[in-house]
Amino acid sequence: MEPQEINVGIDTSSKQLDIFVRPTGQFFSVTNDKDGIKDAIKQLQPLKPKRVLIESTGRLELEFVCAAHKAGLPIVVCNPSQVRNFAKSAGRLAKTDKLDAVDIAHFGEAMKPRLSSIKPEKLRNISDLLVVRSQCLEMSTMQKNRLRRMPKSVHKPIQSILKAIKKELEVIDKQLDKLVSSISEWRQKRDLLLSAKGVGNVLAYTLMSELPELGKLNRKEIAALVGIAPMNRDSGSFQGKRYIRGGRHRVRTVLFVSIMSAIQCHPKLKPMYKRLVDAGKPKKVALIACMRKQLTILNTMVKNNTYWDENMA
């Protein structure tokens, strides 16, 4: 550890932020609103921390992260499960807001995670729209299932709901297109991704907003980041089954939906899937392998700034 390296751990809730400074032991709490966040940043800036770590909750930490980044603080948005596993490995089983903040700061000091890059405002809007779009699709699926099960006497209101959801999806898609087209860099990246077989607007936008590392890492690193890299389970002479876990579930979910279509017509992935299944691999294993292959192709395309070429894929 560098002399006087300051790591700040922040436990987040809807109402307050619990903040612990390591190694000084300073602890204080502020409200999770504009005034509280402003106060927290004012107290943290003179400390000149090496890292300010906050757990990813999906939304509760977003306002602080944006404000801290704007104030020039070195922000790290960390995975809650990694922090909890770290605390357990250190013998910490108790769990309170203050202890969580202590563990987050200790995690930063010991593991030294890389700083997080803040999403531009428009890119965050794309991410939010994709979340809403996904929720609309889930609602649509639920209503379609009800339509098959329910009697005809209630079909009319269900069909009205489906019609409204379809209309909202069209509006969301137009908003997404407008946001991406407003910046030439994003427009070029979108067009590059869309040139690949089996890639539609939703997958392209998801990769752009949720996987900014695409094209900056090698194939193993990008697969591990998404959570589709096989993990070993070996000990001595025992060789267990490989499995996948963790990663960015939203990217993985959209990739899975995309690959279900790709194995029907993709010039590279269709024969690959058939070859694996014919070799006795479980279908799910074959699908994950195809997802990894598709991600590798897209990663290489973005890295080299080249459009789809079937002969090189």
Side-chain angles (χ1 to χ4, degrees):
M1 185 180 71
E2 297 178 6
Q4 298 300 314
E5 179 181 287
I6 302 293
N7 285 272
V8 179
I10 303 178
D11 182 65
T12 316
S13 69
S14 59
K15 294 185 178 180
Q16 74 175 34
L17 303 173
D18 296 290
I19 302 171
F20 180 82
V21 181
R22 185 181 175 94
T24 65
Q26 180 184 356
F27 176 79
F28 61 96
S29 299
V30 297
T31 54
N32 192 4
D33 55 27
K34 288 184 179 180
D35 291 336
I37 290 170
K38 185 177 179 180
D39 181 35
I41 291 174
K42 187 177 180 180
Q43 293 189 58
L44 292 177
Q45 280 181 319
L47 300 177
K48 297 182 180 180
K50 185 76 173 180
R51 298 173 198 86
V52 178
L53 301 102
I54 188 169
E55 288 183 330
S56 172
T57 64
R59 279 293 174 269
L60 299 179
E61 83 286 355
L62 186 57
E63 191 170 354
F64 176 85
V65 170
C66 294
H69 185 270
K70 189 175 181 180
L73 289 174
I75 193 76
V76 177
V77 180
C78 44
N79 187 322
S81 62
Q82 287 183 333
V83 175
R84 188 58 188 154
N85 288 336
F86 173 84
K88 289 180 179 178
S89 69
R92 174 93 72 189
L93 299 180
K95 195 177 188 304
T96 66
D97 292 341
K98 181 177 180 179
L99 289 178
D100 286 347
V102 171
D103 291 334
I104 294 169
H106 190 190
F107 172 82
E109 179 184 277
M111 303 307 294
K112 304 187 187 309
R114 290 185 296 180
L115 300 183
S116 302
S117 57
I118 188 73
K119 296 180 182 179
E121 187 66 33
K122 288 187 177 180
L123 199 54
R124 291 209 312 272
N125 289 343
I126 291 174
S127 177
D128 293 339
L129 283 171
L130 286 169
V131 171
V132 176
R133 191 183 193 281
S134 176
Q135 292 170 342
C136 286
L137 289 175
E138 290 177 6
M139 292 169 60
S140 177
T141 301
M142 290 167 60
Q143 296 302 327
K144 287 177 181 178
N145 290 337
R146 290 192 181 101
L147 196 64
R148 287 195 293 268
R149 295 194 303 265
M150 301 297 283
K152 289 186 178 180
S153 59
V154 295
H155 279 194
K156 188 174 180 180
I158 295 175
Q159 289 170 343
S160 297
I161 294 172
L162 285 170
K163 187 176 180 181
I165 293 174
K166 183 179 179 181
K167 187 176 179 180
E168 287 302 320
L169 284 171
E170 291 173 356
V171 172
I172 291 171
D173 288 342
K174 287 180 181 178
Q175 289 178 310
L176 284 169
D177 288 336
K178 186 177 180 180
L179 279 168
V180 172
S181 299
S182 64
I183 296 181
S184 59
E185 181 184 350
W186 294 350
R187 185 169 62 247
Q188 181 184 1
K189 189 174 182 180
R190 177 196 61 186
D191 294 343
L192 187 150
L193 290 170
L194 289 176
S195 72
K197 294 288 185 181
V199 178
N201 280 336
V202 175
L203 177 57
Y205 293 155
T206 301
L207 292 174
M208 290 169 63
S209 64
E210 303 296 331
L211 196 64
E213 297 87 354
L214 190 70
K216 300 175 184 177
L217 304 176
N218 62 42
R219 61 187 180 87
K220 292 182 179 179
E221 291 171 334
I222 201 71
L225 190 62
V226 175
I228 53 176
M231 303 291 182
N232 296 347
R233 296 186 67 186
D234 302 336
S235 179
S237 59
F238 171 78
Q239 289 189 341
K241 290 183 178 180
R242 275 40 175 174
Y243 65 101
I244 61 170
R245 65 173 296 177
R248 300 186 182 172
H249 72 278
R250 195 178 301 166
V251 177
R252 191 167 59 250
T253 299
V254 177
L255 268 175
F256 183 81
V257 174
S258 171
I259 212 68
M260 294 299 290
S261 172
I263 60 174
Q264 306 296 326
C265 58
H266 197 285
K268 297 294 182 181
L269 301 178
K270 181 180 178 180
M272 176 182 175
Y273 176 77
K274 187 177 185 302
R275 185 173 66 254
L276 290 170
V277 172
D278 290 344
K281 297 290 184 182
K283 290 184 178 180
K284 193 171 183 179
V285 171
L287 286 171
I288 297 299
C290 290
M291 287 169 61
R292 194 160 55 249
K293 178 67 173 178
Q294 184 185 40
L295 185 63
T296 299
I297 291 172
L298 297 176
N299 189 56
T300 303
M301 288 172 60
V302 174
K303 181 180 291 186
N304 298 331
N305 197 29
T306 56
Y307 284 75
W308 168 260
D309 186 340
E310 186 173 327
N311 296 322
M312 295 179 66

